[in-house]
Amino acid sequence: MNERNPAFVRGEMLPAREPPAGEMGLLKLLRKSLFNNWLSSILTVISLIVLVWIVRSTSPWLFDSVWNAHSLSECRQMLGVAEGACWAVIRDRWTQLLFGFYPPEQYWRPVLAFALMLLALSPVLFPPVPRRLLWFSAVFPGLAYWLIWGGTLWLPVTAYAGIAVGAVSLRLTARLGAGVGAGLAFIGALTWWFFASEPVTTMLGQLLPLSLAPVTSREVGGFLLSIVIGVTGISFSLPLGIVLALGRRSKMPLVKTLSVVFIEFIRGVPLITLLFTASLLLNYFLPPGTNFDLILRVIIMVTLFATAYMAEVIRGGLAALPRGQYEAAEALGLDYWKAQRLVIMPQALKISIPGIVNSFIGLFKDTTLVVFIGLLDPIALSNSIRATTNWQGIYWELFVFIGALFFIFCFGMSRYSMHLERRLRTDHR
């Protein structure tokens, strides 16, 4: 470089230097997230003041508490003039809140069913889990029924045999057309369940007795009942909602009319009305002598209710998809079902993830409505606990515990949906 022809490009690299203190670490986070401008700073200070006030107001009640007592009066004697919580009621009745009146010596059965449920859900929710475990996801519902309600193992086995009969019938009648084949497969499965399932179960039970001590539905309660109803409703409402959404968008007048009538009727009726229908009226439409379990009736009504809302959520995702995606599927030569499975539905479900998870969370919380038809959900059990002599007059501790458990499940679903949205993002902004 000389004075007449200065170089505008540096010939050597400068040593790396640390960024300014305000552009790294905690200071950067505070400045950009909490004190970005004057309005953000004011809101941050107000929020901190409110948070400190809440902590100071509730901390004595939460932490100056009693855990070892056998009654509310004993708790109050131990607290004296202090305003503390009586968590001893949770220590004394937590098994009842979780399992209802399930036999204590059989607690291992619902605990094992819950652990197996997590294993069954893992290949569905997390792609790194081997897909060969999906067979266990399909088998799990029958296994869970046997573990929780007991009885002979051959009952769920013969129920699955009916599905196998339907699948074989569908394969044998495939040449007759999809609609005719599906109808004959459905008739074949119903024929097996209504006429062959019971004698086959009895015969297999006599040849090879594999059974657990039976537990009646009146003994199943607490969070066990909420999880059974919620998980079953969630599992069945999504595929049924997909079918119903496609039916509402169908060009076949009969299919579209039936789908619209079902959706609008279910959405126009409160869930509590459907639960009373399941509890009181459904038996009038069944053959005399039919013993249709109340929990099963409730699961059916809750599933139908959630299906109607799920169909509208998925229909919104289908409507948001550009017309070009449908034309691209047609240009590839795909038929209707292949286009839906490979091109349309994956994108529609991705768009609908927030609405789907929101419906799942609402469904899980709505399981507490079964208290009005006499089922022993956590709210019903809290009422029975407060009606006893030892714990009469206690309120907040039970409801805080129940609310915290519901929050854990609902927050877990919310976080998983956020993880799923991040994993399926195709833009790189």
Side-chain angles (χ1 to χ4, degrees):
M1 181 182 69
N2 52 52
E3 295 181 357
R4 293 183 179 180
N5 298 305
F8 292 96
V9 178
R10 184 178 295 277
E12 68 278 355
M13 295 295 294
L14 292 177
R17 293 187 300 176
E18 291 290 334
E23 296 296 327
M24 59 182 297
L26 181 61
L27 290 177
K28 180 181 179 181
L29 177 65
L30 292 176
R31 184 174 62 84
K32 291 194 172 182
S33 301
L34 302 178
F35 300 97
N36 192 26
N37 50 50
W38 66 270
L39 180 59
S40 176
S41 303
I42 293 175
L43 293 176
T44 299
V45 172
I46 294 175
S47 301
L48 289 174
I49 293 173
V50 173
L51 182 62
V52 170
W53 176 79
I54 292 174
V55 170
R56 290 190 59 183
S57 301
T58 58
S59 58
W61 185 81
L62 289 173
F63 301 109
D64 296 339
S65 54
V66 175
W67 286 89
N68 296 307
H70 300 287
S71 65
L72 181 59
S73 59
E74 186 178 346
C75 273
R76 289 172 175 171
Q77 290 177 0
M78 297 175 69
L79 287 170
V81 296
E83 295 183 358
C86 184
W87 297 114
V89 64
I90 306 300
R91 190 169 184 265
D92 186 45
R93 299 297 184 96
W94 68 273
T95 54
Q96 188 175 353
L97 290 171
L98 292 182
F99 302 106
F101 295 102
Y102 207 87
E105 66 275 7
Q106 303 291 335
Y107 282 163
W108 65 271
R109 288 161 50 178
V111 172
L112 178 60
F114 182 77
L116 293 178
M117 181 189 75
L118 299 180
L119 178 61
L121 290 175
S122 58
V124 179
L125 301 180
F126 303 104
V129 179
R131 287 305 188 210
R132 57 178 175 269
L133 288 177
L134 284 173
W135 69 266
F136 181 75
S137 303
V139 171
F140 170 75
L143 182 61
Y145 171 83
W146 179 62
L147 284 173
I148 294 174
W149 276 274
T152 177
L153 176 61
W154 299 113
L155 179 61
V157 170
T158 53
Y160 278 108
I163 300 176
V165 168
V168 172
S169 302
L170 182 63
R171 181 176 293 272
L172 294 177
T173 58
R175 65 184 65 182
L176 300 178
V180 176
L184 293 176
F186 184 67
I187 293 173
L190 289 181
T191 303
W192 171 271
W193 287 327
F194 281 104
F195 298 103
S197 177
E198 186 174 352
V200 171
T201 301
T202 304
M203 181 186 67
L204 291 175
Q206 293 173 351
L207 293 176
L208 187 60
L210 296 173
S211 62
L212 293 171
V215 177
T216 63
S217 292
R218 303 299 299 181
E219 298 173 286
V220 178
F223 275 94
L224 172 61
L225 179 62
S226 296
I227 291 174
V228 167
I229 297 175
V231 171
T232 307
I234 287 171
S235 301
F236 284 102
S237 65
L238 181 58
L240 292 177
I242 292 174
V243 173
L244 206 58
L246 294 176
R248 183 157 188 171
R249 291 173 59 88
S250 174
K251 296 179 180 179
M252 294 184 285
L254 179 60
V255 174
K256 183 174 183 178
T257 301
L258 291 176
S259 301
V260 171
V261 169
F262 176 85
I263 292 173
E264 297 303 329
F265 173 75
I266 294 296
R267 289 201 306 165
V269 177
L271 177 58
I272 189 63
T273 304
L274 298 178
L275 294 178
F276 277 119
T277 302
S279 175
L280 303 174
L281 300 178
L282 197 58
N283 276 341
Y284 290 106
F285 300 97
L286 298 174
T290 303
N291 185 17
F292 204 16
D293 188 82
L294 178 58
I295 293 181
L296 180 57
R297 283 180 270 159
V298 168
I299 287 175
I300 292 173
M301 287 301 181
V302 168
T303 301
L304 294 179
F305 183 82
T307 297
Y309 282 87
M310 191 61 60
E312 288 300 283
V313 172
I314 295 171
R315 188 170 71 93
L318 291 170
L321 215 59
R323 179 61 192 169
Q325 297 298 318
Y326 295 87
E327 295 172 352
E330 293 174 358
L332 291 173
L334 301 178
D335 60 19
Y336 177 81
W337 293 109
K338 285 185 178 180
Q340 293 293 335
R341 181 170 60 89
L342 300 175
V343 179
I344 306 302
M345 195 54 65
Q347 299 182 71
L349 292 177
K350 173 188 167 185
I351 296 172
S352 306
I353 286 175
I356 291 173
V357 176
N358 184 60
S359 298
F360 286 169
I361 292 174
L363 170 62
F364 186 70
K365 292 188 295 184
D366 284 345
T367 57
T368 55
L369 292 176
V370 300
V371 65
F372 295 108
I373 58 173
L375 291 180
L376 300 174
D377 78 310
I379 302 298
L381 289 172
S382 70
N383 294 334
S384 65
I385 292 171
R386 290 188 292 110
T388 60
T389 305
N390 290 340
W391 301 109
Q392 189 173 13
I394 197 165
Y395 291 94
W396 287 105
E397 291 83 353
L398 291 169
F399 293 136
V400 167
F401 178 74
I402 294 170
L405 287 182
F406 270 105
F407 173 79
I408 290 172
F409 281 99
C410 296
F411 184 72
M413 286 188 278
S414 174
R415 298 302 299 179
Y416 175 78
S417 72
M418 296 172 64
H419 160 75
L420 191 61
E421 288 182 60
R422 289 193 298 268
R423 183 163 62 84
L424 297 179
R425 282 185 63 179
T426 53
D427 60 326
H428 299 285
R429 290 179 296 175

